[in-house]
Amino acid sequence: MRRRDLIRLAALSLLPPALLAAGAGRAGAQGAPQAPAIDVEAILRDPQAPGAGNPEGDVTIVAFLDYNCPFCKTSAPDLARVVKEDGRIRLVYKDWPILTEASVYGAQLALAAKYQGRYGEVHDALMRIPGRRIPEEEMLKAVAASGVDLDRLMADLKAHIGEIGALLKRNATQAESLGLQGTPTYLVGPLLASTLDYASFRRAIAEARRRQAAEQAAAQ
């Protein structure tokens, strides 16, 4: 794999127990605060996080994304394709709006659409907007054209803004705990990868299955 396709590997299930149990925000040896503890279950199974694919899939892909990230937009069609073709992938979306203030607005719109079961349509519409630093007005226009009930979306956004904000905060905390540096970042089973294309997603999924099978065999 090219380095830019798979920048590093991290076996979440094999992280030292002491690291997984470390208290969030504890001071290190020099008094500096440490990153939050890695909560694997929360990363993989936050009940409020939108998902796609096969909910019973044998490999989970967790996607940390920003709607103003051009590399997220480049990878999005390949991710959707591999999830559809494979049929055994469970996909978890982590809206992580870190690039602009409009990124936060885009994430809020997508997550508000979840309450009418249309997160996927809004997510895809936002990912299809070309370029970076997309203004809020252009995001809203794309969302309105996606077929979503815009009046309901705006009402849901207002009614659930606290829940949406809490989810975005959890996503940011999880990204910090993993030491992520930017978007897109994908957890493919036990692998931590960035900026994957279709072929690289396929290779990462195959490697994730190989590692998971090896772990299961070793545990028997």
Side-chain angles (χ1 to χ4, degrees):
M1 264 178 220
R2 292 172 295 178
R3 185 180 179 189
R4 72 181 181 88
D5 288 335
L6 186 56
I7 54 174
R8 61 191 177 103
L9 305 178
L12 295 182
S13 60
L14 299 180
L15 284 171
L19 177 58
L20 294 177
R26 286 183 185 169
Q30 302 301 319
Q34 295 178 343
I38 298 174
D39 188 338
V40 176
E41 187 64 17
I43 292 170
L44 296 179
R45 303 194 181 278
D46 188 322
Q48 298 300 316
N54 184 345
E56 304 299 326
D58 62 341
V59 170
T60 296
I61 297 178
V62 182
F64 286 85
L65 305 167
D66 184 305
Y67 293 115
N68 267 314
C69 167
F71 301 107
C72 299
K73 297 175 184 183
T74 298
S75 294
D78 290 327
L79 175 60
R81 177 186 171 192
V82 78
V83 169
K84 181 178 180 180
E85 290 182 355
D86 185 280
R88 294 183 294 151
I89 301 296
R90 174 177 171 264
L91 177 59
V92 179
Y93 291 109
K94 298 286 185 178
D95 288 276
W96 186 30
I98 56 176
L99 296 177
T100 72
E101 289 186 12
S103 296
V104 177
Y105 184 66
Q108 290 172 337
L109 292 175
L111 292 171
K114 181 186 67 172
Y115 294 95
Q116 59 178 284
R118 303 298 292 274
Y119 174 88
E121 289 88 342
V122 171
H123 170 86
D124 292 344
L126 291 170
M127 281 296 175
R128 284 194 294 266
I129 305 173
R132 63 184 74 197
R133 302 191 69 83
I134 307 304
E136 293 182 6
E137 295 78 9
E138 190 170 349
M139 289 184 174
L140 187 58
K141 182 179 179 180
V143 170
S146 72
V148 71
D149 183 334
L150 190 60
D151 289 338
R152 179 178 172 183
L153 185 149
M154 301 310 290
D156 283 334
L157 177 58
K158 182 178 180 180
H160 299 284
I161 190 63
E163 298 169 30
I164 292 170
L167 176 57
L168 293 176
K169 185 176 180 180
R170 290 198 300 277
N171 292 348
T173 298
Q174 291 162 11
E176 182 184 356
S177 75
L178 292 167
L180 304 189
Q181 300 299 309
T183 57
T185 299
Y186 304 101
L187 307 183
V188 184
L191 309 178
L192 182 61
S194 178
T195 318
L196 300 180
D197 59 17
Y198 175 76
S200 300
F201 274 122
R202 290 287 302 271
R203 289 194 294 267
I205 291 164
E207 176 63 13
R209 287 193 171 118
R210 186 193 70 78
R211 291 190 176 214
Q212 289 176 176
E215 289 179 19
Q216 292 171 358
Q220 293 176 352

